């Protein structure tokens, strides 16, 4: 589990926007950039270079256009 305080201060390194935490799949999503950041050993890998594209279908609760 990620530290609650850490989750509060973490922002997307690319857009500085809010993130969605999906710890069950060890991922942190940025809906604005449509990328995901991995969580490795409870450490978020918040590197733009390591971000992976997030397909629209994986954005939870944001269906539609
Ligand atoms: Zn972002």
């Amino acid at each position: 589990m990620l530290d609650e305080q850490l989750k509060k201060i973490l922002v997307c390194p690319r857009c500085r926007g809010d993130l969605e935490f999906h710890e069950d799949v060890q991922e942190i999503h940025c809906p604005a950039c449509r990328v995901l950041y991995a969580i490795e050993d409870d450490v978020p890998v918040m590197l733009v270079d390591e971000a992976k594209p997030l397909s629209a279908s994986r954005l939870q609760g944001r269906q539609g256009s």
Side-chain angles (χ1 to χ4, degrees):
M1 291 288 287
L2 293 179
D3 185 85
E4 288 297 322
Q5 288 299 117
L6 179 64
K7 285 158 71 168
K8 281 181 188 163
I9 61 170
L10 273 182
V11 294
C12 175
R14 190 158 142 185
C15 71
R16 307 283 166 191
D18 289 334
L19 298 165
E20 294 177 355
F21 293 89
H22 299 281
E23 288 171 75
D24 51 333
V25 289
Q26 298 288 282
E27 291 177 357
I28 299 170
H29 297 181
C30 177
C33 299
R34 297 196 166 220
V35 297
L36 69 85
Y37 301 94
I39 301 171
E40 295 182 358
D41 297 327
D42 288 338
V43 179
V45 183
M46 305 309 294
L47 299 172
V48 175
D49 286 347
E50 297 289 331
K52 298 183 182 73
L54 187 63
S55 65
S57 62
R58 296 182 70 183
L59 286 172
Q60 296 182 5
R62 289 173 193 268
Q63 281 85 9
S65 56

